[in-house]
């Protein structure tokens, strides 16, 4: 029999059970007491609600929220051509949408990382989701004379989504450990390609169904509010480090300055963050420009005509979205299984798998620009293989961080890794690609062929950045074992110092 905090019995519990309170703490089971009274109907409902708050359910809800985060982010990319025509802006102007979004995202990330290491994490997550949902909905009503306001709204959405990406992985890290943590993080990071792909599909489908691209921005907010409510109700707030070997007893709190100094000296963390920046550069540029690039390729091949209507053809966005969903699923699953198998051969498996996948991805991404002029199908095949290899490393990179950073500074570490990867990656890549494309178009006579080629030449920058990311993962492999051992020793010292204080 279990007892809730108000002193009533909860049916269906044994004396050894534990009950999670709404604050996320654990209340040990108590023996039956004659002073206890039966639960009232409302209290029984509350008790049943608490029993649903399992770690697996929490990980599922957090993964669902992550899907919505990325779905909202790439809904704009799914109707990019329509937005460009509606607001009458250039390639660099339309690329500014993603750049402003990412800039606000990365600036807010360290702030939320600091808050996530010190305050209730699920409350911060829920507030962030509610905020971006409302802003996204309101942005769908901005008229064509106020493009600057539409750009600003994307910046505000980036602030809301930043809270989620910075904090939610640390909750999963505190609910699971070892291979189970790797698997749950794999599911969580599967949301990145899955949500991105669904964003393209949702944007294109809603536009076609409603006959107006603005409706693409009015679906994800409703789902976002639902996810925020589920997090408040069903996701616990575990103690930081509770899933680690000596978890649940860490009370020592280091200062923010001390945390930053430790992270700066952590070579595995620094190199893996730089590698993440390379991934972000490529995915940010690809996510924004590849559907438009393929649409221009079909105009060159004369299998389609340039858009002159109010509602443009979104077939390429939907196909690219579907490919992103499938390759994301394959990439994350293959990455998790491959890493688990390789760990039996070498303890450096995590960074080595990432390095090999990055270098392989660069080859197939290069081939996209070789075959796109002649064969759209061939381009899609190269995109499929290249994205699968690129998505292989997302969950593994997060797991590397969990191994080399102690629990009490993980939210800060995730936030600054996010800040670094966006600052050096997708904060500038969409705008930079658009800027290069515009510059090339101005250098020569404008034609359908040259618009296609100029964008392709600009996108050729991505494979070289991916190769650089692979080199950073190889550097991570050199220091991974030393940094993991240091983290384990620091965790042990924190636990012993806490025990000494108690004595």
């Amino acid at each position: 029999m279990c007892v809730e905090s108000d002193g009533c019995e909860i049916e269906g519990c044994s004396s050894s059970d534990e009950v999670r309170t709404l604050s996320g703490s654990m209340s040990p089971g108590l023996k039956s007491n004659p002073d206890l009274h039966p639960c009232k109907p409302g209290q029984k409902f509350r008790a049943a609600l608490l029993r649903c708050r399992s770690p697996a359910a929490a990980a599922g809800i957090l993964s669902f929220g992550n899907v919505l985060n990325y779905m909202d982010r790439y809904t704009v990319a799914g109707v990019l051509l329509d937005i460009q025509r509606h607001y009458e802006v250039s390639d660099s102007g339309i690329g500014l949408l993603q750049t402003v979004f990412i800039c606000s995202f990365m600036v807010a990330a360290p702030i939320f990382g600091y808050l996530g290491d010190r305050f209730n994490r699920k409350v911060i997550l829920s507030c962030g989701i509610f905020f971006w949902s409302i802003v996204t909905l309101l942005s769908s009503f901005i008229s064509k004379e106020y493009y600057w306001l539409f750009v600003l709204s994307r910046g505000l959405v980036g602030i809301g989504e930043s809270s989620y990406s910075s904090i939610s992985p640390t909750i999963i890290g505190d609910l699971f450990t070892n291979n189970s943590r790797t698997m749950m993080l794999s599911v969580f990071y599967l949301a990145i390609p899955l949500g991105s792909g669904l964003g393209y599909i949702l944007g294109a489908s809603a536009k076609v169904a409603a006959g107006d691209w603005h409706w693409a921005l009015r679906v994800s907010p409703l789902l976002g509010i639902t996810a925020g409510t589920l997090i408040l109700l069903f996701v616990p707030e575990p103690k930081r480090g509770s899933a680690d070997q000596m978890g649940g007893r860490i009370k020592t709190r280091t200062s923010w300055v001390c945390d930053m100094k430790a992270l700066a000296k952590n070579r595995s963390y620094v190199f893996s963050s730089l590698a993440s920046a390379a991934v972000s550069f490529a995915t940010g540029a690809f996510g924004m420009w590849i559907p438009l690039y393929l649409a221009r390729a079909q105009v060159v091949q004369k299998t389609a005509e340039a858009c002159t209507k109010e509602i443009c053809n979104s077939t390429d966005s939907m196909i690219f979205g579907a490919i992103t969903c499938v390759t994301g699923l394959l990439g994350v699953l293959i990455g998790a299984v491959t890493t688990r198998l390789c760990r039996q051969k070498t303890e450096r498996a995590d960074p080595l798998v990432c390095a090999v996948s990055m270098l392989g991805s660069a080859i197939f991404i290069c081939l996209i620009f070789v075959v796109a002029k002649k064969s759209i199908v061939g381009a899609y095949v190269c995109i499929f293989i290249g994205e699968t290899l690129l998505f292989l490393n997302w969950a593994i990179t997060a797991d590397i961080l969990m191994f080399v950073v102690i629990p009490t500074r993980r939210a800060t570490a995730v936030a600054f890794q996010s800040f670094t990867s966006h600052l050096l990656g997708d904060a500038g890549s969409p705008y930079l690609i658009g800027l290069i494309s515009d510059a090339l178009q101005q250098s020569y006579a404008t034609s359908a062929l040259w618009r296609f080629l100029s964008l392709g030449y600009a996108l050729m920058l991505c494979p070289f950045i991916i190769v650089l990311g692979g080199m950073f993962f190889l550097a991570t492999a050199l220091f991974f074992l030393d940094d993991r051992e240091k983290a384990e020793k620091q965790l042990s010292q924190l636990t012993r110092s806490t025990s000494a204080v108690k004595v």
Side-chain angles (χ1 to χ4, degrees):
M1 176 182 307
C2 295
V3 182
E4 195 32 304
S5 58
D6 56 6
C8 71
E9 294 183 5
I10 299 177
E11 297 176 356
C13 296
S14 66
S15 60
S16 61
D17 286 337
E18 293 181 330
V19 176
R20 294 181 184 272
T21 64
L22 286 177
S23 64
S25 60
M26 300 293 292
S27 302
L30 303 177
K31 295 181 180 180
S32 180
N33 190 308
D35 296 332
L36 299 177
H37 55 85
C39 291
K40 297 177 182 178
Q43 293 169 330
K44 289 184 178 181
F45 173 77
R46 181 167 175 256
L49 191 67
L50 293 172
R51 286 198 294 269
C52 296
R53 298 169 67 184
S54 66
I61 292 170
L62 291 173
S63 299
F64 172 64
N66 208 26
V67 168
L68 295 181
N69 253 18
Y70 281 87
M71 188 170 74
D72 178 78
R73 183 181 305 185
Y74 284 96
T75 297
V76 169
V79 291
L80 191 66
L81 187 56
D82 299 271
I83 295 175
Q84 188 175 32
R85 282 180 51 78
H86 180 77
Y87 287 106
E88 299 176 353
V89 292
S90 63
D91 283 356
S92 57
I94 202 69
L96 195 62
L97 282 176
Q98 188 74 351
T99 294
V100 169
F101 173 91
I102 295 300
C103 285
S104 64
F105 184 100
M106 70 179 186
V107 170
I111 299 173
F112 286 117
Y114 176 86
L115 296 175
D117 277 335
R118 290 158 177 82
F119 301 100
N120 189 299
R121 290 173 287 186
K122 71 173 187 177
V123 172
I124 298 173
L125 294 182
S126 299
C127 291
I129 290 183
F130 292 145
F131 179 75
W132 72 248
S133 297
I134 294 170
V135 173
T136 298
L137 181 61
L138 294 177
S139 70
S140 68
F141 298 99
I142 298 174
S143 63
K144 65 183 301 181
E145 294 83 11
Y146 298 98
Y147 181 65
W148 65 269
L149 186 58
F150 187 75
V151 173
L152 177 62
S153 72
R154 296 310 298 170
L156 294 176
V157 170
I159 294 174
E161 293 189 12
S162 179
S163 66
Y164 200 91
S165 299
S166 302
I167 297 173
S168 48
T170 67
I171 296 180
I172 295 178
D174 286 334
L175 290 172
F176 302 93
T177 187
N178 297 327
N179 285 332
S180 62
R181 182 170 66 194
T182 302
M183 188 57 62
M184 288 301 175
L185 284 173
S186 297
V187 173
F188 178 81
Y189 282 101
L190 171 63
I192 296 178
L194 180 62
S196 302
L198 289 175
Y200 292 102
I201 296 172
L202 171 67
S205 301
K207 178 191 72 175
V208 172
D212 182 1
W213 68 265
H214 292 89
W215 281 94
L217 303 177
R218 297 169 185 170
V219 178
S220 58
L222 299 178
L223 297 174
I225 292 172
T226 302
T229 304
L230 290 175
I231 289 172
L232 281 177
L233 293 177
F234 295 107
V235 174
E237 173 65 16
K239 293 181 179 179
R240 292 162 178 83
S242 59
D244 292 278
Q245 183 178 1
M246 301 177 186
R249 297 180 294 175
I250 303 175
K251 302 295 183 184
T252 304
R253 171 68 58 194
T254 55
S255 68
W256 182 83
V257 174
C258 180
D259 289 344
M260 294 308 301
K261 287 181 179 179
L263 292 176
K265 294 178 182 178
N266 190 323
R267 294 166 294 184
S268 296
Y269 173 76
V270 171
F271 283 120
S272 62
S273 297
L274 292 173
S276 296
V279 177
S280 295
F281 186 97
T283 55
F286 267 49
M288 180 64 73
W289 291 114
I290 281 294
L292 187 58
Y293 175 73
L294 295 176
R296 291 181 181 180
Q298 292 179 67
V299 173
V300 170
Q301 296 175 20
K302 297 183 178 179
T303 57
E305 295 182 357
C307 179
T308 57
K309 299 177 292 184
E310 183 67 23
I311 300 297
C312 299
N313 191 315
S314 298
T315 302
D316 293 302
S317 292
M318 296 188 71
I319 294 175
F320 183 71
I323 289 176
T324 302
C325 289
V326 175
T327 55
L329 175 62
L330 288 177
V332 171
L333 291 179
I334 293 172
V337 172
T338 303
T339 304
R340 178 176 290 190
L341 293 175
C342 291
R343 281 174 182 169
Q344 300 174 7
K345 303 293 184 181
T346 174
E347 294 184 359
R348 304 179 193 270
D350 296 61
L352 289 177
V353 169
C354 291
V356 172
S357 68
M358 289 278 283
L359 297 175
S361 174
I363 297 173
F364 287 96
I365 288 176
C366 269
L367 291 175
I368 295 172
F369 311 110
V370 176
V371 304
K373 185 178 178 181
K374 298 293 183 181
S375 172
I376 292 296
V377 174
Y380 278 131
V381 171
C382 293
I383 290 171
F384 187 93
I385 300 173
E387 280 197 340
T388 300
L389 293 173
L390 194 62
F391 293 155
L392 214 75
N393 63 71
W394 258 325
I396 306 174
T397 304
D399 212 24
I400 291 173
L401 185 148
M402 297 296 172
F403 277 122
V404 301
V405 177
I406 61 174
T408 54
R409 60 172 65 115
R410 281 178 184 163
T412 299
V414 171
F416 270 89
Q417 187 173 81
S418 176
F419 177 86
T420 304
S421 63
H422 290 309
L423 176 65
L424 302 177
D426 53 355
S429 64
Y431 180 71
L432 178 62
I433 298 300
L435 201 63
I436 295 173
S437 177
D438 281 346
L440 291 173
Q441 289 180 50
Q442 292 173 3
S443 301
Y444 298 91
T446 302
S447 66
L449 175 60
W450 188 241
R451 282 196 297 271
F452 161 71
L453 291 176
S454 63
L455 185 55
Y457 291 149
L459 286 167
M460 277 294 290
L461 180 62
C462 294
F464 294 99
I465 299 298
I466 292 173
V467 170
L468 185 62
M471 297 297 104
F472 284 131
F473 273 126
L474 288 177
T476 303
L478 294 176
F479 306 107
F480 178 67
L481 296 183
D482 290 340
D483 290 330
R484 186 178 68 178
E485 184 179 354
K486 288 179 182 177
E488 291 172 351
K489 288 181 179 179
Q490 289 174 357
L491 178 60
S492 177
Q493 291 171 358
L494 284 174
T495 308
R496 284 201 302 269
S497 64
T498 300
S499 299
V501 171
K502 289 181 178 180
V503 173

